[in-house]
Amino acid sequence: MRILLINTAERIGGAAIAASRLAEALRNNDIKAKILVRDKQTEQITTVALNKSWKHIWHFAWERITIWAANGFTRKRLFSVDIANTGTDITSLPEFTQADIIHLHWINQGMLSLNDIKKIIESGKPIVWTLHDMWPYTGICHYANDCSNYKTSCHNCPSLVRPHKKDLSYTTFRKKEKLFAKANITFVGCSNWITEMAKDSKLIGDKNIFSIPNAINTNLFRPYDKVQTRKKLNLPTDKKLLLFGSMKITDKRKGIDYLIEACNIITRDYPELSKELGVVVLGGKSEEYSSIFPFSFYNMNYVSNEKDIVNIYNAVDLYVTPSLQDNLPNTIVEAMACGIPCVGFKTGGIPQMIDHLHNGYVAEYKSSKDFANGIIWALTEEDYETLSEEAHRKAISTYSENIVAHQYIKIYNNITKSHD
């Protein structure tokens, strides 16, 4: 069986990492899997990039120009939405024609247009589409936040600066409605949360929708000696370290302001404990927050090498994720696989990942106070070793490559039989 996975980038972004890991997991289970990307970041021979062309830059720019103009020529929220009005027709590529199944992942920002997706549908090949965010079943947004228009028909989009009855969300929603009307696509949500919302959506609610988590290599992401990894990274061995990570930590959806407030609460209410704490920040522009945290601050910037990332996880005591809306964060899976307990808000797929008071702490949504409680509980819990072991056990039993690959292979087998 030949599977072609399609994603805009190879390694940048959560969806790219998840798609690459799934492809590796499939290959380890005797499935011939290739990835087609626009932006290739490695020398992996099973990853195929679109031929470099100025057209790709133009596709990306034209979509932004269209959104910019619709928003009254303001850059505000320019990258909050996608309309898929430009892209590349991939149906004539040999990788496409040779594939038995086309597996879409995150295909925005000029990778595939709605018209390109239509051509894929019209090819007659079985299609699986993994939902890394909500975009496939909303008009234009990747996360709807408090908006529920996607359940009926998108309009007056809160993600636009100038929303109105027939705005970009409305027109794009209508295009998707026609696109999906007779499309035979099997959707897979990375979390129960995003899967249930997809089932409630107007666009794809009548399709086959399953829930399968992202895979991780638990032979690579596993516990190592904490003291040795700290020495290797020049981190202190006498502090309890929190880790916060994001590709772009300035993204308000990642909730760093709530983490800072929680740290201030700990400093105020538990001054002795606060002296023992330090925060490690992993992500782009992390240095901007160095003077804001009340604890010792250790800047790791953006790290792409997985072995380095494994060392960083193993060097800390707790992973904290104050994200305000997230699907199934790779970072939580990675931390748990390394035996690191996690603290996160009760939102998105996070409560599915962190078992409250068992392998971490799920704080009440947007409550910095309860987030602080979670940090204190995890770091002062008498049986921290058990907490760590349970986190590792959850990763092994739920997210290991072999387990996730077999769930996808079952879907592949079912849809290829239905297409015979």
Side-chain angles (χ1 to χ4, degrees), residues 196-209:
E196 291 307 310
M197 288 193 297
K199 290 178 179 179
D200 287 338
S201 71
K202 176 72 179 298
L203 288 176
I204 67 171
D206 62 340
K207 308 296 183 186
N208 288 326
I209 308 174

PDB file of all heavy atoms in Angstrom, residues 196-209:
ATOM      1  N   GLU A 196     -15.269  15.768  18.015  1.00  0.00           N
ATOM      2  CA  GLU A 196     -16.672  16.023  18.359  1.00  0.00           C
ATOM      3  C   GLU A 196     -17.178  17.317  17.734  1.00  0.00           C
ATOM      4  O   GLU A 196     -18.331  17.398  17.286  1.00  0.00           O
ATOM      5  CB  GLU A 196     -16.847  16.053  19.877  1.00  0.00           C
ATOM      6  CG  GLU A 196     -16.660  14.699  20.546  1.00  0.00           C
ATOM      7  CD  GLU A 196     -17.527  13.615  19.921  1.00  0.00           C
ATOM      8  OE1 GLU A 196     -18.751  13.852  19.763  1.00  0.00           O
ATOM      9  OE2 GLU A 196     -16.988  12.551  19.569  1.00  0.00           O
ATOM     10  N   MET A 197     -16.337  18.343  17.674  1.00  0.00           N
ATOM     11  CA  MET A 197     -16.748  19.591  17.021  1.00  0.00           C
ATOM     12  C   MET A 197     -16.934  19.381  15.527  1.00  0.00           C
ATOM     13  O   MET A 197     -17.834  19.956  14.911  1.00  0.00           O
ATOM     14  CB  MET A 197     -15.735  20.696  17.294  1.00  0.00           C
ATOM     15  CG  MET A 197     -15.775  21.212  18.718  1.00  0.00           C
ATOM     16  SD  MET A 197     -14.858  22.756  18.925  1.00  0.00           S
ATOM     17  CE  MET A 197     -13.208  22.212  18.513  1.00  0.00           C
ATOM     18  N   ALA A 198     -16.081  18.558  14.934  1.00  0.00           N
ATOM     19  CA  ALA A 198     -16.214  18.267  13.504  1.00  0.00           C
ATOM     20  C   ALA A 198     -17.547  17.573  13.227  1.00  0.00           C
ATOM     21  O   ALA A 198     -18.213  17.854  12.222  1.00  0.00           O
ATOM     22  CB  ALA A 198     -15.055  17.393  13.046  1.00  0.00           C
ATOM     23  N   LYS A 199     -17.941  16.680  14.123  1.00  0.00           N
ATOM     24  CA  LYS A 199     -19.215  15.974  13.953  1.00  0.00           C
ATOM     25  C   LYS A 199     -20.411  16.922  14.067  1.00  0.00           C
ATOM     26  O   LYS A 199     -21.486  16.640  13.521  1.00  0.00           O
ATOM     27  CB  LYS A 199     -19.335  14.855  14.989  1.00  0.00           C
ATOM     28  CG  LYS A 199     -18.377  13.692  14.735  1.00  0.00           C
ATOM     29  CD  LYS A 199     -18.497  12.628  15.824  1.00  0.00           C
ATOM     30  CE  LYS A 199     -17.552  11.470  15.549  1.00  0.00           C
ATOM     31  NZ  LYS A 199     -17.618  10.425  16.607  1.00  0.00           N
ATOM     32  N   ASP A 200     -20.228  18.040  14.776  1.00  0.00           N
ATOM     33  CA  ASP A 200     -21.297  19.031  14.932  1.00  0.00           C
ATOM     34  C   ASP A 200     -21.291  20.076  13.816  1.00  0.00           C
ATOM     35  O   ASP A 200     -22.159  20.948  13.770  1.00  0.00           O
ATOM     36  CB  ASP A 200     -21.159  19.758  16.273  1.00  0.00           C
ATOM     37  CG  ASP A 200     -21.557  18.882  17.445  1.00  0.00           C
ATOM     38  OD1 ASP A 200     -22.307  17.917  17.229  1.00  0.00           O
ATOM     39  OD2 ASP A 200     -21.124  19.168  18.578  1.00  0.00           O
ATOM     40  N   SER A 201     -20.304  20.004  12.928  1.00  0.00           N
ATOM     41  CA  SER A 201     -20.164  21.046  11.912  1.00  0.00           C
ATOM     42  C   SER A 201     -21.098  20.806  10.734  1.00  0.00           C
ATOM     43  O   SER A 201     -21.472  19.671  10.425  1.00  0.00           O
ATOM     44  CB  SER A 201     -18.721  21.108  11.414  1.00  0.00           C
ATOM     45  OG  SER A 201     -18.413  19.964  10.634  1.00  0.00           O
ATOM     46  N   LYS A 202     -21.448  21.899  10.066  1.00  0.00           N
ATOM     47  CA  LYS A 202     -22.322  21.810   8.888  1.00  0.00           C
ATOM     48  C   LYS A 202     -21.567  21.219   7.697  1.00  0.00           C
ATOM     49  O   LYS A 202     -22.137  20.462   6.904  1.00  0.00           O
ATOM     50  CB  LYS A 202     -22.809  23.227   8.531  1.00  0.00           C
ATOM     51  CG  LYS A 202     -23.655  23.319   7.258  1.00  0.00           C
ATOM     52  CD  LYS A 202     -25.036  22.732   7.454  1.00  0.00           C
ATOM     53  CE  LYS A 202     -25.880  22.854   6.180  1.00  0.00           C
ATOM     54  NZ  LYS A 202     -26.116  24.268   5.783  1.00  0.00           N
ATOM     55  N   LEU A 203     -20.289  21.522   7.585  1.00  0.00           N
ATOM     56  CA  LEU A 203     -19.542  21.150   6.392  1.00  0.00           C
ATOM     57  C   LEU A 203     -19.214  19.662   6.310  1.00  0.00           C
ATOM     58  O   LEU A 203     -19.326  19.062   5.236  1.00  0.00           O
ATOM     59  CB  LEU A 203     -18.241  21.964   6.305  1.00  0.00           C
ATOM     60  CG  LEU A 203     -18.398  23.442   5.959  1.00  0.00           C
ATOM     61  CD1 LEU A 203     -17.048  24.146   5.994  1.00  0.00           C
ATOM     62  CD2 LEU A 203     -19.026  23.612   4.576  1.00  0.00           C
ATOM     63  N   ILE A 204     -18.783  19.045   7.406  1.00  0.00           N
ATOM     64  CA  ILE A 204     -18.327  17.652   7.324  1.00  0.00           C
ATOM     65  C   ILE A 204     -18.985  16.738   8.350  1.00  0.00           C
ATOM     66  O   ILE A 204     -18.576  15.593   8.510  1.00  0.00           O
ATOM     67  CB  ILE A 204     -16.790  17.560   7.456  1.00  0.00           C
ATOM     68  CG1 ILE A 204     -16.332  17.969   8.861  1.00  0.00           C
ATOM     69  CG2 ILE A 204     -16.094  18.415   6.397  1.00  0.00           C
ATOM     70  CD1 ILE A 204     -14.846  17.687   9.123  1.00  0.00           C
ATOM     71  N   GLY A 205     -19.996  17.241   9.031  1.00  0.00           N
ATOM     72  CA  GLY A 205     -20.623  16.462  10.101  1.00  0.00           C
ATOM     73  C   GLY A 205     -21.219  15.144   9.645  1.00  0.00           C
ATOM     74  O   GLY A 205     -21.394  14.220  10.450  1.00  0.00           O
ATOM     75  N   ASP A 206     -21.518  15.023   8.342  1.00  0.00           N
ATOM     76  CA  ASP A 206     -22.117  13.787   7.824  1.00  0.00           C
ATOM     77  C   ASP A 206     -21.080  12.809   7.270  1.00  0.00           C
ATOM     78  O   ASP A 206     -21.424  11.750   6.762  1.00  0.00           O
ATOM     79  CB  ASP A 206     -23.136  14.118   6.736  1.00  0.00           C
ATOM     80  CG  ASP A 206     -22.503  14.817   5.536  1.00  0.00           C
ATOM     81  OD1 ASP A 206     -21.400  15.380   5.694  1.00  0.00           O
ATOM     82  OD2 ASP A 206     -23.116  14.813   4.449  1.00  0.00           O
ATOM     83  N   LYS A 207     -19.805  13.166   7.384  1.00  0.00           N
ATOM     84  CA  LYS A 207     -18.740  12.302   6.878  1.00  0.00           C
ATOM     85  C   LYS A 207     -18.294  11.308   7.956  1.00  0.00           C
ATOM     86  O   LYS A 207     -18.667  11.421   9.124  1.00  0.00           O
ATOM     87  CB  LYS A 207     -17.530  13.145   6.448  1.00  0.00           C
ATOM     88  CG  LYS A 207     -17.843  14.280   5.487  1.00  0.00           C
ATOM     89  CD  LYS A 207     -18.365  13.787   4.157  1.00  0.00           C
ATOM     90  CE  LYS A 207     -18.592  14.952   3.206  1.00  0.00           C
ATOM     91  NZ  LYS A 207     -19.234  14.513   1.937  1.00  0.00           N
ATOM     92  N   ASN A 208     -17.476  10.326   7.553  1.00  0.00           N
ATOM     93  CA  ASN A 208     -16.856   9.430   8.521  1.00  0.00           C
ATOM     94  C   ASN A 208     -15.748  10.187   9.243  1.00  0.00           C
ATOM     95  O   ASN A 208     -14.824  10.698   8.602  1.00  0.00           O
ATOM     96  CB  ASN A 208     -16.267   8.210   7.812  1.00  0.00           C
ATOM     97  CG  ASN A 208     -17.332   7.255   7.317  1.00  0.00           C
ATOM     98  OD1 ASN A 208     -18.375   7.102   7.950  1.00  0.00           O
ATOM     99  ND2 ASN A 208     -17.092   6.614   6.179  1.00  0.00           N
ATOM    100  N   ILE A 209     -15.857  10.283  10.556  1.00  0.00           N
ATOM    101  CA  ILE A 209     -14.887  11.031  11.350  1.00  0.00           C
ATOM    102  C   ILE A 209     -14.427  10.162  12.515  1.00  0.00           C
ATOM    103  O   ILE A 209     -15.240   9.678  13.303  1.00  0.00           O
ATOM    104  CB  ILE A 209     -15.481  12.348  11.889  1.00  0.00           C
ATOM    105  CG1 ILE A 209     -16.112  13.171  10.760  1.00  0.00           C
ATOM    106  CG2 ILE A 209     -14.407  13.181  12.597  1.00  0.00           C
ATOM    107  CD1 ILE A 209     -16.854  14.410  11.224  1.00  0.00           C
TER     108      ILE A 209
END
